[in-house]
Amino acid sequence: MDRRTFIKLATGGASILALPQLFMSAQAMAAERIEKISKTDAEWKKLLTPAQYDVLRREGTEAPFTSPLDHEKRSGTYVCTACELPHFPSKFKFDSGTGWPSFYDVLPGHIETRTDYKLVLPRTEYHCARCGGHHGHVFKDGPAPTGLRYCNNGVALKFIADKA
C-alpha cells in the first residue's frame, strides 16, 4: 500500500481496515499465494516412481545413506519432486550425519506440519504446502540459527542448481 492510498483511507475513516495489511508478515503473504493442487491416487501413481509414491503419498521413509542429495554441495534450490514448489535453498543445508538431506530452515509458508504418533512418541512431520506430499520430520537438534533439523527423504526432493 502506498502512502497516498493510506492517507485516503485514513481520512475516509477506513484506516482501521488497512492496518492488518501493514503488519502482515512475509510468511503470511507467501502462504496465501500458494495454491493447493490435488490429484487422484491413480494420477499420483502415474506421475511418481514407486519410491517417490511410497514416501510422498504413503508417508514412507527411504533407507538412510541412499540419496545422492545427501552429498549435494552445489548452490541451488531443493524443490518438491511432485509439484516443484521450492522448499529449501542450498544455504540452509547441513550435514547432519543421519543419512538424509537435512536443512536448518525452510522457505516461509512452503511446508505444513502436523503431529505424527506412528512411533508412539510424538514427532512433527512436514508436508508440501502445495501438493500435500510427505517429506520428512523436523527435530529440535539442528544447528544455529534455528536449532531445527528438517530431515528430508531424498526421493521427495529434486535439486535445481543455480545457473553459473
PDB file of all heavy atoms in Angstrom, residues 69 72-81 83-93 101 103 105-108 110 130 135 152 154 156-163:
ATOM      1  N   LEU A  69      21.301 -36.799  -2.914  1.00  0.00           N
ATOM      2  CA  LEU A  69      21.126 -35.418  -2.453  1.00  0.00           C
ATOM      3  C   LEU A  69      21.757 -35.187  -1.079  1.00  0.00           C
ATOM      4  O   LEU A  69      22.039 -34.043  -0.715  1.00  0.00           O
ATOM      5  CB  LEU A  69      19.643 -35.040  -2.414  1.00  0.00           C
ATOM      6  CG  LEU A  69      18.935 -34.978  -3.763  1.00  0.00           C
ATOM      7  CD1 LEU A  69      17.485 -34.555  -3.586  1.00  0.00           C
ATOM      8  CD2 LEU A  69      19.656 -34.049  -4.717  1.00  0.00           C
ATOM      9  N   GLU A  72      24.962 -33.626  -1.962  1.00  0.00           N
ATOM     10  CA  GLU A  72      24.920 -32.498  -2.893  1.00  0.00           C
ATOM     11  C   GLU A  72      25.510 -31.254  -2.219  1.00  0.00           C
ATOM     12  O   GLU A  72      25.108 -30.884  -1.127  1.00  0.00           O
ATOM     13  CB  GLU A  72      23.480 -32.216  -3.330  1.00  0.00           C
ATOM     14  CG  GLU A  72      23.322 -31.082  -4.300  1.00  0.00           C
ATOM     15  CD  GLU A  72      24.070 -31.283  -5.600  1.00  0.00           C
ATOM     16  OE1 GLU A  72      23.758 -32.238  -6.335  1.00  0.00           O
ATOM     17  OE2 GLU A  72      24.977 -30.471  -5.880  1.00  0.00           O
ATOM     18  N   LYS A  73      26.479 -30.613  -2.898  1.00  0.00           N
ATOM     19  CA  LYS A  73      27.166 -29.453  -2.326  1.00  0.00           C
ATOM     20  C   LYS A  73      27.005 -28.179  -3.159  1.00  0.00           C
ATOM     21  O   LYS A  73      27.431 -27.114  -2.746  1.00  0.00           O
ATOM     22  CB  LYS A  73      28.671 -29.738  -2.178  1.00  0.00           C
ATOM     23  CG  LYS A  73      29.018 -30.966  -1.381  1.00  0.00           C
ATOM     24  CD  LYS A  73      28.797 -30.759   0.091  1.00  0.00           C
ATOM     25  CE  LYS A  73      29.351 -31.946   0.867  1.00  0.00           C
ATOM     26  NZ  LYS A  73      28.528 -32.318   1.988  1.00  0.00           N
ATOM     27  N   ARG A  74      26.411 -28.289  -4.341  1.00  0.00           N
ATOM     28  CA  ARG A  74      26.304 -27.126  -5.214  1.00  0.00           C
ATOM     29  C   ARG A  74      25.276 -26.120  -4.683  1.00  0.00           C
ATOM     30  O   ARG A  74      24.424 -26.458  -3.870  1.00  0.00           O
ATOM     31  CB  ARG A  74      25.909 -27.552  -6.626  1.00  0.00           C
ATOM     32  CG  ARG A  74      26.959 -28.381  -7.335  1.00  0.00           C
ATOM     33  CD  ARG A  74      26.461 -28.879  -8.672  1.00  0.00           C
ATOM     34  NE  ARG A  74      25.385 -29.853  -8.464  1.00  0.00           N
ATOM     35  CZ  ARG A  74      24.570 -30.288  -9.413  1.00  0.00           C
ATOM     36  NH1 ARG A  74      24.702 -29.835 -10.654  1.00  0.00           N
ATOM     37  NH2 ARG A  74      23.653 -31.179  -9.144  1.00  0.00           N
ATOM     38  N   SER A  75      25.362 -24.921  -5.197  1.00  0.00           N
ATOM     39  CA  SER A  75      24.403 -23.878  -4.863  1.00  0.00           C
ATOM     40  C   SER A  75      23.152 -24.075  -5.721  1.00  0.00           C
ATOM     41  O   SER A  75      23.251 -24.343  -6.919  1.00  0.00           O
ATOM     42  CB  SER A  75      25.025 -22.510  -5.148  1.00  0.00           C
ATOM     43  OG  SER A  75      24.114 -21.488  -4.847  1.00  0.00           O
ATOM     44  N   GLY A  76      21.997 -23.975  -5.099  1.00  0.00           N
ATOM     45  CA  GLY A  76      20.748 -24.157  -5.823  1.00  0.00           C
ATOM     46  C   GLY A  76      19.567 -24.223  -4.881  1.00  0.00           C
ATOM     47  O   GLY A  76      19.638 -23.760  -3.734  1.00  0.00           O
ATOM     48  N   THR A  77      18.502 -24.849  -5.351  1.00  0.00           N
ATOM     49  CA  THR A  77      17.259 -24.937  -4.592  1.00  0.00           C
ATOM     50  C   THR A  77      16.729 -26.361  -4.624  1.00  0.00           C
ATOM     51  O   THR A  77      16.750 -27.017  -5.664  1.00  0.00           O
ATOM     52  CB  THR A  77      16.199 -23.985  -5.193  1.00  0.00           C
ATOM     53  OG1 THR A  77      16.751 -22.663  -5.253  1.00  0.00           O
ATOM     54  CG2 THR A  77      14.934 -23.958  -4.355  1.00  0.00           C
ATOM     55  N   TYR A  78      16.241 -26.813  -3.485  1.00  0.00           N
ATOM     56  CA  TYR A  78      15.606 -28.122  -3.362  1.00  0.00           C
ATOM     57  C   TYR A  78      14.096 -27.902  -3.436  1.00  0.00           C
ATOM     58  O   TYR A  78      13.538 -27.123  -2.667  1.00  0.00           O
ATOM     59  CB  TYR A  78      15.980 -28.786  -2.033  1.00  0.00           C
ATOM     60  CG  TYR A  78      17.457 -29.108  -1.948  1.00  0.00           C
ATOM     61  CD1 TYR A  78      18.384 -28.152  -1.553  1.00  0.00           C
ATOM     62  CD2 TYR A  78      17.929 -30.374  -2.287  1.00  0.00           C
ATOM     63  CE1 TYR A  78      19.738 -28.447  -1.493  1.00  0.00           C
ATOM     64  CE2 TYR A  78      19.282 -30.676  -2.232  1.00  0.00           C
ATOM     65  CZ  TYR A  78      20.183 -29.699  -1.826  1.00  0.00           C
ATOM     66  OH  TYR A  78      21.524 -29.996  -1.766  1.00  0.00           O
ATOM     67  N   VAL A  79      13.462 -28.576  -4.406  1.00  0.00           N
ATOM     68  CA  VAL A  79      12.032 -28.409  -4.648  1.00  0.00           C
ATOM     69  C   VAL A  79      11.314 -29.741  -4.443  1.00  0.00           C
ATOM     70  O   VAL A  79      11.929 -30.807  -4.498  1.00  0.00           O
ATOM     71  CB  VAL A  79      11.750 -27.856  -6.075  1.00  0.00           C
ATOM     72  CG1 VAL A  79      12.471 -26.527  -6.294  1.00  0.00           C
ATOM     73  CG2 VAL A  79      12.119 -28.858  -7.144  1.00  0.00           C
ATOM     74  N   CYS A  80      10.020 -29.674  -4.235  1.00  0.00           N
ATOM     75  CA  CYS A  80       9.197 -30.880  -4.105  1.00  0.00           C
ATOM     76  C   CYS A  80       9.223 -31.647  -5.427  1.00  0.00           C
ATOM     77  O   CYS A  80       8.991 -31.074  -6.488  1.00  0.00           O
ATOM     78  CB  CYS A  80       7.768 -30.492  -3.737  1.00  0.00           C
ATOM     79  SG  CYS A  80       6.623 -31.883  -3.636  1.00  0.00           S
ATOM     80  N   THR A  81       9.503 -32.927  -5.354  1.00  0.00           N
ATOM     81  CA  THR A  81       9.532 -33.768  -6.555  1.00  0.00           C
ATOM     82  C   THR A  81       8.179 -33.804  -7.251  1.00  0.00           C
ATOM     83  O   THR A  81       8.105 -33.804  -8.476  1.00  0.00           O
ATOM     84  CB  THR A  81       9.940 -35.213  -6.183  1.00  0.00           C
ATOM     85  OG1 THR A  81      11.269 -35.182  -5.664  1.00  0.00           O
ATOM     86  CG2 THR A  81       9.905 -36.135  -7.373  1.00  0.00           C
ATOM     87  N   CYS A  83       5.504 -31.512  -7.158  1.00  0.00           N
ATOM     88  CA  CYS A  83       4.897 -30.294  -7.713  1.00  0.00           C
ATOM     89  C   CYS A  83       5.891 -29.161  -7.956  1.00  0.00           C
ATOM     90  O   CYS A  83       5.498 -28.097  -8.429  1.00  0.00           O
ATOM     91  CB  CYS A  83       3.779 -29.812  -6.798  1.00  0.00           C
ATOM     92  SG  CYS A  83       4.357 -29.120  -5.221  1.00  0.00           S
ATOM     93  N   GLU A  84       7.159 -29.369  -7.620  1.00  0.00           N
ATOM     94  CA  GLU A  84       8.236 -28.418  -7.823  1.00  0.00           C
ATOM     95  C   GLU A  84       8.118 -27.123  -7.014  1.00  0.00           C
ATOM     96  O   GLU A  84       8.724 -26.109  -7.349  1.00  0.00           O
ATOM     97  CB  GLU A  84       8.456 -28.123  -9.308  1.00  0.00           C
ATOM     98  CG  GLU A  84       8.888 -29.361 -10.065  1.00  0.00           C
ATOM     99  CD  GLU A  84       9.448 -29.078 -11.441  1.00  0.00           C
ATOM    100  OE1 GLU A  84       9.340 -27.941 -11.932  1.00  0.00           O
ATOM    101  OE2 GLU A  84      10.011 -30.026 -12.031  1.00  0.00           O
ATOM    102  N   LEU A  85       7.376 -27.154  -5.915  1.00  0.00           N
ATOM    103  CA  LEU A  85       7.352 -25.996  -5.022  1.00  0.00           C
ATOM    104  C   LEU A  85       8.702 -25.929  -4.309  1.00  0.00           C
ATOM    105  O   LEU A  85       9.132 -26.920  -3.715  1.00  0.00           O
ATOM    106  CB  LEU A  85       6.227 -26.122  -3.986  1.00  0.00           C
ATOM    107  CG  LEU A  85       6.127 -24.961  -2.992  1.00  0.00           C
ATOM    108  CD1 LEU A  85       5.664 -23.690  -3.703  1.00  0.00           C
ATOM    109  CD2 LEU A  85       5.165 -25.307  -1.862  1.00  0.00           C
ATOM    110  N   PRO A  86       9.400 -24.796  -4.370  1.00  0.00           N
ATOM    111  CA  PRO A  86      10.679 -24.685  -3.662  1.00  0.00           C
ATOM    112  C   PRO A  86      10.484 -24.831  -2.153  1.00  0.00           C
ATOM    113  O   PRO A  86       9.539 -24.274  -1.583  1.00  0.00           O
ATOM    114  CB  PRO A  86      11.153 -23.268  -4.001  1.00  0.00           C
ATOM    115  CG  PRO A  86      10.398 -22.894  -5.234  1.00  0.00           C
ATOM    116  CD  PRO A  86       9.081 -23.589  -5.134  1.00  0.00           C
ATOM    117  N   HIS A  87      11.373 -25.609  -1.515  1.00  0.00           N
ATOM    118  CA  HIS A  87      11.306 -25.794  -0.067  1.00  0.00           C
ATOM    119  C   HIS A  87      12.536 -25.248   0.641  1.00  0.00           C
ATOM    120  O   HIS A  87      12.414 -24.607   1.674  1.00  0.00           O
ATOM    121  CB  HIS A  87      11.145 -27.273   0.279  1.00  0.00           C
ATOM    122  CG  HIS A  87       9.783 -27.798   0.037  1.00  0.00           C
ATOM    123  ND1 HIS A  87       9.305 -28.930   0.624  1.00  0.00           N
ATOM    124  CD2 HIS A  87       8.765 -27.364  -0.745  1.00  0.00           C
ATOM    125  CE1 HIS A  87       8.071 -29.167   0.229  1.00  0.00           C
ATOM    126  NE2 HIS A  87       7.734 -28.225  -0.609  1.00  0.00           N
ATOM    127  N   PHE A  88      13.722 -25.543   0.087  1.00  0.00           N
ATOM    128  CA  PHE A  88      14.958 -25.190   0.777  1.00  0.00           C
ATOM    129  C   PHE A  88      15.995 -24.616  -0.184  1.00  0.00           C
ATOM    130  O   PHE A  88      16.355 -25.281  -1.149  1.00  0.00           O
ATOM    131  CB  PHE A  88      15.598 -26.438   1.407  1.00  0.00           C
ATOM    132  CG  PHE A  88      14.689 -27.257   2.264  1.00  0.00           C
ATOM    133  CD1 PHE A  88      14.111 -28.421   1.776  1.00  0.00           C
ATOM    134  CD2 PHE A  88      14.429 -26.894   3.578  1.00  0.00           C
ATOM    135  CE1 PHE A  88      13.286 -29.205   2.564  1.00  0.00           C
ATOM    136  CE2 PHE A  88      13.604 -27.672   4.388  1.00  0.00           C
ATOM    137  CZ  PHE A  88      13.027 -28.833   3.879  1.00  0.00           C
ATOM    138  N   PRO A  89      16.522 -23.430   0.093  1.00  0.00           N
ATOM    139  CA  PRO A  89      17.709 -23.004  -0.654  1.00  0.00           C
ATOM    140  C   PRO A  89      18.905 -23.784  -0.110  1.00  0.00           C
ATOM    141  O   PRO A  89      18.920 -24.196   1.056  1.00  0.00           O
ATOM    142  CB  PRO A  89      17.822 -21.512  -0.329  1.00  0.00           C
ATOM    143  CG  PRO A  89      17.044 -21.309   0.919  1.00  0.00           C
ATOM    144  CD  PRO A  89      16.032 -22.407   1.002  1.00  0.00           C
ATOM    145  N   SER A  90      19.903 -24.002  -0.940  1.00  0.00           N
ATOM    146  CA  SER A  90      21.056 -24.805  -0.527  1.00  0.00           C
ATOM    147  C   SER A  90      21.785 -24.204   0.675  1.00  0.00           C
ATOM    148  O   SER A  90      22.422 -24.939   1.432  1.00  0.00           O
ATOM    149  CB  SER A  90      22.020 -24.993  -1.697  1.00  0.00           C
ATOM    150  OG  SER A  90      22.465 -23.742  -2.177  1.00  0.00           O
ATOM    151  N   LYS A  91      21.668 -22.910   0.897  1.00  0.00           N
ATOM    152  CA  LYS A  91      22.343 -22.301   2.041  1.00  0.00           C
ATOM    153  C   LYS A  91      21.781 -22.795   3.378  1.00  0.00           C
ATOM    154  O   LYS A  91      22.434 -22.654   4.411  1.00  0.00           O
ATOM    155  CB  LYS A  91      22.285 -20.773   1.969  1.00  0.00           C
ATOM    156  CG  LYS A  91      20.896 -20.186   2.148  1.00  0.00           C
ATOM    157  CD  LYS A  91      20.927 -18.678   2.024  1.00  0.00           C
ATOM    158  CE  LYS A  91      19.519 -18.100   2.184  1.00  0.00           C
ATOM    159  NZ  LYS A  91      19.543 -16.649   2.053  1.00  0.00           N
ATOM    160  N   PHE A  92      20.594 -23.405   3.384  1.00  0.00           N
ATOM    161  CA  PHE A  92      20.008 -23.951   4.615  1.00  0.00           C
ATOM    162  C   PHE A  92      20.433 -25.396   4.876  1.00  0.00           C
ATOM    163  O   PHE A  92      20.103 -25.968   5.901  1.00  0.00           O
ATOM    164  CB  PHE A  92      18.481 -23.912   4.565  1.00  0.00           C
ATOM    165  CG  PHE A  92      17.862 -22.545   4.583  1.00  0.00           C
ATOM    166  CD1 PHE A  92      16.517 -22.397   4.279  1.00  0.00           C
ATOM    167  CD2 PHE A  92      18.585 -21.399   4.886  1.00  0.00           C
ATOM    168  CE1 PHE A  92      15.911 -21.147   4.302  1.00  0.00           C
ATOM    169  CE2 PHE A  92      17.995 -20.149   4.898  1.00  0.00           C
ATOM    170  CZ  PHE A  92      16.648 -20.019   4.608  1.00  0.00           C
ATOM    171  N   LYS A  93      21.160 -26.005   3.939  1.00  0.00           N
ATOM    172  CA  LYS A  93      21.532 -27.422   4.058  1.00  0.00           C
ATOM    173  C   LYS A  93      22.749 -27.594   4.954  1.00  0.00           C
ATOM    174  O   LYS A  93      23.637 -26.753   4.974  1.00  0.00           O
ATOM    175  CB  LYS A  93      21.823 -28.001   2.676  1.00  0.00           C
ATOM    176  CG  LYS A  93      22.009 -29.512   2.645  1.00  0.00           C
ATOM    177  CD  LYS A  93      22.078 -29.992   1.208  1.00  0.00           C
ATOM    178  CE  LYS A  93      22.081 -31.487   1.120  1.00  0.00           C
ATOM    179  NZ  LYS A  93      23.363 -32.082   1.395  1.00  0.00           N
ATOM    180  N   PRO A 101      19.135 -35.917   3.532  1.00  0.00           N
ATOM    181  CA  PRO A 101      19.378 -34.489   3.350  1.00  0.00           C
ATOM    182  C   PRO A 101      18.717 -33.719   4.502  1.00  0.00           C
ATOM    183  O   PRO A 101      17.549 -33.956   4.821  1.00  0.00           O
ATOM    184  CB  PRO A 101      18.702 -34.165   2.015  1.00  0.00           C
ATOM    185  CG  PRO A 101      18.568 -35.475   1.315  1.00  0.00           C
ATOM    186  CD  PRO A 101      18.443 -36.509   2.389  1.00  0.00           C
ATOM    187  N   PHE A 103      18.208 -29.823   6.621  1.00  0.00           N
ATOM    188  CA  PHE A 103      18.183 -28.371   6.475  1.00  0.00           C
ATOM    189  C   PHE A 103      17.809 -27.754   7.818  1.00  0.00           C
ATOM    190  O   PHE A 103      17.025 -28.324   8.570  1.00  0.00           O
ATOM    191  CB  PHE A 103      17.143 -27.973   5.414  1.00  0.00           C
ATOM    192  CG  PHE A 103      17.337 -28.687   4.107  1.00  0.00           C
ATOM    193  CD1 PHE A 103      16.779 -29.942   3.889  1.00  0.00           C
ATOM    194  CD2 PHE A 103      18.095 -28.119   3.101  1.00  0.00           C
ATOM    195  CE1 PHE A 103      16.967 -30.620   2.684  1.00  0.00           C
ATOM    196  CE2 PHE A 103      18.288 -28.793   1.887  1.00  0.00           C
ATOM    197  CZ  PHE A 103      17.723 -30.045   1.690  1.00  0.00           C
ATOM    198  N   ASP A 105      16.393 -24.668   8.049  1.00  0.00           N
ATOM    199  CA  ASP A 105      15.254 -23.774   7.875  1.00  0.00           C
ATOM    200  C   ASP A 105      14.563 -24.118   6.560  1.00  0.00           C
ATOM    201  O   ASP A 105      15.081 -24.894   5.763  1.00  0.00           O
ATOM    202  CB  ASP A 105      15.710 -22.319   7.873  1.00  0.00           C
ATOM    203  CG  ASP A 105      14.636 -21.345   8.369  1.00  0.00           C
ATOM    204  OD1 ASP A 105      13.466 -21.772   8.568  1.00  0.00           O
ATOM    205  OD2 ASP A 105      14.956 -20.160   8.575  1.00  0.00           O
ATOM    206  N   VAL A 106      13.394 -23.541   6.343  1.00  0.00           N
ATOM    207  CA  VAL A 106      12.575 -23.806   5.163  1.00  0.00           C
ATOM    208  C   VAL A 106      12.056 -22.470   4.641  1.00  0.00           C
ATOM    209  O   VAL A 106      11.980 -21.491   5.397  1.00  0.00           O
ATOM    210  CB  VAL A 106      11.408 -24.763   5.532  1.00  0.00           C
ATOM    211  CG1 VAL A 106      10.467 -24.131   6.524  1.00  0.00           C
ATOM    212  CG2 VAL A 106      10.660 -25.245   4.310  1.00  0.00           C
ATOM    213  N   LEU A 107      11.712 -22.411   3.366  1.00  0.00           N
ATOM    214  CA  LEU A 107      11.121 -21.193   2.825  1.00  0.00           C
ATOM    215  C   LEU A 107       9.758 -20.963   3.492  1.00  0.00           C
ATOM    216  O   LEU A 107       8.951 -21.894   3.597  1.00  0.00           O
ATOM    217  CB  LEU A 107      10.977 -21.298   1.307  1.00  0.00           C
ATOM    218  CG  LEU A 107      12.315 -21.332   0.557  1.00  0.00           C
ATOM    219  CD1 LEU A 107      12.102 -21.661  -0.914  1.00  0.00           C
ATOM    220  CD2 LEU A 107      13.054 -20.014   0.715  1.00  0.00           C
ATOM    221  N   PRO A 108       9.506 -19.750   3.963  1.00  0.00           N
ATOM    222  CA  PRO A 108       8.272 -19.467   4.712  1.00  0.00           C
ATOM    223  C   PRO A 108       7.009 -19.831   3.942  1.00  0.00           C
ATOM    224  O   PRO A 108       6.862 -19.484   2.778  1.00  0.00           O
ATOM    225  CB  PRO A 108       8.337 -17.955   4.955  1.00  0.00           C
ATOM    226  CG  PRO A 108       9.773 -17.598   4.811  1.00  0.00           C
ATOM    227  CD  PRO A 108      10.347 -18.566   3.813  1.00  0.00           C
ATOM    228  N   HIS A 110       6.007 -22.676   2.814  1.00  0.00           N
ATOM    229  CA  HIS A 110       6.099 -23.714   1.796  1.00  0.00           C
ATOM    230  C   HIS A 110       5.926 -25.131   2.337  1.00  0.00           C
ATOM    231  O   HIS A 110       5.900 -26.077   1.552  1.00  0.00           O
ATOM    232  CB  HIS A 110       7.421 -23.590   1.030  1.00  0.00           C
ATOM    233  CG  HIS A 110       7.433 -22.402   0.116  1.00  0.00           C
ATOM    234  ND1 HIS A 110       8.008 -22.431  -1.123  1.00  0.00           N
ATOM    235  CD2 HIS A 110       6.916 -21.154   0.252  1.00  0.00           C
ATOM    236  CE1 HIS A 110       7.855 -21.249  -1.709  1.00  0.00           C
ATOM    237  NE2 HIS A 110       7.204 -20.462  -0.881  1.00  0.00           N
ATOM    238  N   ARG A 130       1.819 -27.150  -1.175  1.00  0.00           N
ATOM    239  CA  ARG A 130       1.059 -27.136  -2.424  1.00  0.00           C
ATOM    240  C   ARG A 130       0.366 -28.478  -2.684  1.00  0.00           C
ATOM    241  O   ARG A 130      -0.833 -28.534  -2.906  1.00  0.00           O
ATOM    242  CB  ARG A 130       1.948 -26.793  -3.615  1.00  0.00           C
ATOM    243  CG  ARG A 130       1.164 -26.780  -4.933  1.00  0.00           C
ATOM    244  CD  ARG A 130       2.033 -26.517  -6.134  1.00  0.00           C
ATOM    245  NE  ARG A 130       2.446 -25.129  -6.140  1.00  0.00           N
ATOM    246  CZ  ARG A 130       3.559 -24.691  -6.709  1.00  0.00           C
ATOM    247  NH1 ARG A 130       4.387 -25.528  -7.307  1.00  0.00           N
ATOM    248  NH2 ARG A 130       3.874 -23.415  -6.693  1.00  0.00           N
ATOM    249  N   HIS A 135       7.309 -35.184   3.286  1.00  0.00           N
ATOM    250  CA  HIS A 135       8.745 -35.014   3.028  1.00  0.00           C
ATOM    251  C   HIS A 135       9.610 -35.577   4.135  1.00  0.00           C
ATOM    252  O   HIS A 135      10.677 -36.110   3.868  1.00  0.00           O
ATOM    253  CB  HIS A 135       9.074 -33.537   2.791  1.00  0.00           C
ATOM    254  CG  HIS A 135       8.789 -33.117   1.398  1.00  0.00           C
ATOM    255  ND1 HIS A 135       9.751 -32.979   0.443  1.00  0.00           N
ATOM    256  CD2 HIS A 135       7.612 -32.850   0.773  1.00  0.00           C
ATOM    257  CE1 HIS A 135       9.208 -32.631  -0.708  1.00  0.00           C
ATOM    258  NE2 HIS A 135       7.902 -32.546  -0.531  1.00  0.00           N
ATOM    259  N   ASN A 152      14.809 -34.675   5.530  1.00  0.00           N
ATOM    260  CA  ASN A 152      14.007 -34.886   4.336  1.00  0.00           C
ATOM    261  C   ASN A 152      14.373 -36.176   3.613  1.00  0.00           C
ATOM    262  O   ASN A 152      15.543 -36.512   3.482  1.00  0.00           O
ATOM    263  CB  ASN A 152      14.219 -33.723   3.366  1.00  0.00           C
ATOM    264  CG  ASN A 152      12.970 -33.362   2.611  1.00  0.00           C
ATOM    265  OD1 ASN A 152      12.306 -32.401   2.965  1.00  0.00           O
ATOM    266  ND2 ASN A 152      12.627 -34.116   1.579  1.00  0.00           N
ATOM    267  N   GLY A 154      15.227 -38.002   0.458  1.00  0.00           N
ATOM    268  CA  GLY A 154      15.799 -37.515  -0.787  1.00  0.00           C
ATOM    269  C   GLY A 154      14.888 -37.704  -1.983  1.00  0.00           C
ATOM    270  O   GLY A 154      14.869 -36.856  -2.875  1.00  0.00           O
ATOM    271  N   ALA A 156      11.842 -37.317  -2.169  1.00  0.00           N
ATOM    272  CA  ALA A 156      10.782 -36.320  -2.150  1.00  0.00           C
ATOM    273  C   ALA A 156      11.262 -34.969  -2.670  1.00  0.00           C
ATOM    274  O   ALA A 156      10.462 -34.054  -2.832  1.00  0.00           O
ATOM    275  CB  ALA A 156      10.215 -36.175  -0.743  1.00  0.00           C
ATOM    276  N   LEU A 157      12.566 -34.863  -2.911  1.00  0.00           N
ATOM    277  CA  LEU A 157      13.148 -33.607  -3.380  1.00  0.00           C
ATOM    278  C   LEU A 157      13.772 -33.749  -4.756  1.00  0.00           C
ATOM    279  O   LEU A 157      14.232 -34.821  -5.131  1.00  0.00           O
ATOM    280  CB  LEU A 157      14.249 -33.146  -2.415  1.00  0.00           C
ATOM    281  CG  LEU A 157      13.839 -32.679  -1.036  1.00  0.00           C
ATOM    282  CD1 LEU A 157      15.076 -32.411  -0.196  1.00  0.00           C
ATOM    283  CD2 LEU A 157      12.964 -31.436  -1.112  1.00  0.00           C
ATOM    284  N   LYS A 158      13.821 -32.632  -5.444  1.00  0.00           N
ATOM    285  CA  LYS A 158      14.579 -32.517  -6.688  1.00  0.00           C
ATOM    286  C   LYS A 158      15.481 -31.303  -6.513  1.00  0.00           C
ATOM    287  O   LYS A 158      15.031 -30.258  -6.017  1.00  0.00           O
ATOM    288  CB  LYS A 158      13.626 -32.338  -7.865  1.00  0.00           C
ATOM    289  CG  LYS A 158      14.327 -32.165  -9.201  1.00  0.00           C
ATOM    290  CD  LYS A 158      13.382 -32.298 -10.382  1.00  0.00           C
ATOM    291  CE  LYS A 158      12.660 -31.017 -10.674  1.00  0.00           C
ATOM    292  NZ  LYS A 158      11.872 -31.071 -11.920  1.00  0.00           N
ATOM    293  N   PHE A 159      16.740 -31.426  -6.891  1.00  0.00           N
ATOM    294  CA  PHE A 159      17.681 -30.321  -6.766  1.00  0.00           C
ATOM    295  C   PHE A 159      17.782 -29.585  -8.087  1.00  0.00           C
ATOM    296  O   PHE A 159      17.972 -30.191  -9.142  1.00  0.00           O
ATOM    297  CB  PHE A 159      19.068 -30.836  -6.352  1.00  0.00           C
ATOM    298  CG  PHE A 159      20.082 -29.743  -6.235  1.00  0.00           C
ATOM    299  CD1 PHE A 159      20.039 -28.837  -5.189  1.00  0.00           C
ATOM    300  CD2 PHE A 159      21.068 -29.602  -7.189  1.00  0.00           C
ATOM    301  CE1 PHE A 159      20.977 -27.822  -5.082  1.00  0.00           C
ATOM    302  CE2 PHE A 159      22.018 -28.593  -7.085  1.00  0.00           C
ATOM    303  CZ  PHE A 159      21.968 -27.688  -6.031  1.00  0.00           C
ATOM    304  N   ILE A 160      17.659 -28.272  -8.026  1.00  0.00           N
ATOM    305  CA  ILE A 160      17.829 -27.418  -9.204  1.00  0.00           C
ATOM    306  C   ILE A 160      19.022 -26.518  -8.925  1.00  0.00           C
ATOM    307  O   ILE A 160      18.965 -25.635  -8.060  1.00  0.00           O
ATOM    308  CB  ILE A 160      16.558 -26.598  -9.504  1.00  0.00           C
ATOM    309  CG1 ILE A 160      15.382 -27.550  -9.744  1.00  0.00           C
ATOM    310  CG2 ILE A 160      16.804 -25.677 -10.692  1.00  0.00           C
ATOM    311  CD1 ILE A 160      14.052 -26.862  -9.914  1.00  0.00           C
ATOM    312  N   ALA A 161      20.118 -26.760  -9.641  1.00  0.00           N
ATOM    313  CA  ALA A 161      21.349 -25.989  -9.449  1.00  0.00           C
ATOM    314  C   ALA A 161      21.184 -24.570  -9.969  1.00  0.00           C
ATOM    315  O   ALA A 161      20.470 -24.329 -10.948  1.00  0.00           O
ATOM    316  CB  ALA A 161      22.520 -26.670 -10.173  1.00  0.00           C
ATOM    317  N   ASP A 162      21.832 -23.632  -9.279  1.00  0.00           N
ATOM    318  CA  ASP A 162      21.863 -22.253  -9.755  1.00  0.00           C
ATOM    319  C   ASP A 162      22.614 -22.201 -11.076  1.00  0.00           C
ATOM    320  O   ASP A 162      23.550 -22.982 -11.299  1.00  0.00           O
ATOM    321  CB  ASP A 162      22.560 -21.338  -8.748  1.00  0.00           C
ATOM    322  CG  ASP A 162      21.737 -21.088  -7.497  1.00  0.00           C
ATOM    323  OD1 ASP A 162      20.510 -21.310  -7.525  1.00  0.00           O
ATOM    324  OD2 ASP A 162      22.327 -20.654  -6.487  1.00  0.00           O
ATOM    325  N   LYS A 163      22.224 -21.297 -11.933  1.00  0.00           N
ATOM    326  CA  LYS A 163      22.923 -21.138 -13.216  1.00  0.00           C
ATOM    327  C   LYS A 163      24.221 -20.389 -12.955  1.00  0.00           C
ATOM    328  O   LYS A 163      24.269 -19.448 -12.186  1.00  0.00           O
ATOM    329  CB  LYS A 163      22.054 -20.385 -14.215  1.00  0.00           C
ATOM    330  CG  LYS A 163      20.832 -21.183 -14.599  1.00  0.00           C
ATOM    331  CD  LYS A 163      19.996 -20.485 -15.608  1.00  0.00           C
ATOM    332  CE  LYS A 163      18.806 -21.375 -15.926  1.00  0.00           C
ATOM    333  NZ  LYS A 163      17.876 -20.745 -16.825  1.00  0.00           N
TER     334      LYS A 163
END
